Amino acid sequence: MQSFYEYNLSDNLNKSLKTLGFKNPTEIQSKTIPIALKRHDILASAETGSGKTAAYLIPLIHHISTIGGISGLILTPTRELAMQVSSEISKIGRYRSIKVVAIYGGQPMQPQIDALRAGVHVIVATPGRLMDHMNRRTLSLKNIRMAILDEADQMLDIGFIDDIEHILRQTPR
């Protein structure tokens, strides 16, 4: 059976995984983490509770730069998922001192703007609110190193395809 230690993750990331009780990767994690660590694109599908979120967060946290602004972007279809993913980043990335902000509608813009100005490394956002910030020029996606579409099928079903394409065009190739 594989171990997370086989992925040659940073000591801080291994420490977080150990603290959280992560011992061996789930099936989705063992299939995707090695590919994501090599910075290849992935399209994956798995059941709820299979460890999908950690499957993309572990490589993101491993590669994220804590210098030079926002370098990670995760798009989610709902505010609830954005909050959940943001919380998971804080847990898994606790020893890397990764700053994350969840950006979604239904709350005032100013606290989000204040968080962005204070400096963050990862944004977890719903497409609509992220577009609002882009239009207001309160954030830049020019330093994004990793972009993730969580529940992409649901975002496409909702009709976010044009927004997602516009957002991704603002990131480096």
Side-chain angles (χ1 to χ4, degrees):
M1 179 165 277
Q2 268 186 320
S3 161
F4 285 104
Y5 293 106
E6 294 176 35
Y7 298 134
N8 296 317
L9 302 171
S10 70
D11 290 341
N12 287 336
L13 184 50
N14 279 324
K15 183 178 176 182
S16 292
L17 295 175
K18 184 177 180 180
T19 300
L20 293 169
F22 284 50
K23 292 187 173 118
N24 300 308
T26 64
E27 182 180 3
I28 189 72
Q29 293 165 353
S30 66
K31 288 181 177 180
T32 59
I33 290 174
I35 297 166
L37 287 172
K38 293 178 183 174
R39 298 182 184 265
H40 294 290
D41 291 345
I42 297 172
L43 175 61
S45 177
E47 296 295 318
T48 300
S50 63
K52 287 186 306 275
T53 303
Y56 68 75
L57 288 183
I58 291 169
L60 172 79
I61 291 166
H62 177 76
H63 284 302
I64 205 73
S65 173
T66 55
I67 300 169
I70 304 162
S71 59
L73 170 65
I74 302 168
L75 293 176
T76 68
T78 65
R79 76 183 83 176
E80 293 80 14
L81 186 56
M83 291 186 293
Q84 176 188 338
V85 170
S86 177
S87 174
E88 290 300 308
I89 292 170
S90 296
K91 290 176 190 172
I92 297 173
R94 75 174 57 166
Y95 298 114
R96 289 239 24 235
S97 301
I98 293 173
K99 295 178 185 172
V100 61
V101 65
I103 294 178
Y104 51 86
Q107 71 172 25
M109 292 278 286
Q110 196 57 51
Q112 295 173 357
I113 293 170
D114 293 343
L116 290 166
R117 285 184 181 150
V120 298
H121 309 113
V122 179
I123 295 175
V124 185
T126 56
R129 181 53 69 101
L130 182 63
M131 297 266 298
D132 287 346
H133 279 280
M134 291 169 63
N135 291 335
R136 292 173 185 235
R137 300 191 193 290
T138 55
L139 62 78
S140 169
L141 302 180
K142 69 179 182 180
N143 292 322
I144 296 296
R145 292 182 175 188
M146 187 177 277
I148 297 161
L149 307 179
D150 194 345
E151 297 194 12
D153 56 339
Q154 187 178 351
M155 285 192 286
L156 297 177
D157 288 346
I158 294 170
F160 283 134
I161 184 69
D162 293 337
D163 291 348
I164 292 169
E165 287 177 348
H166 175 76
I167 291 165
L168 293 178
R169 278 194 301 270
Q170 306 309 308
T171 65
R173 191 163 172 80

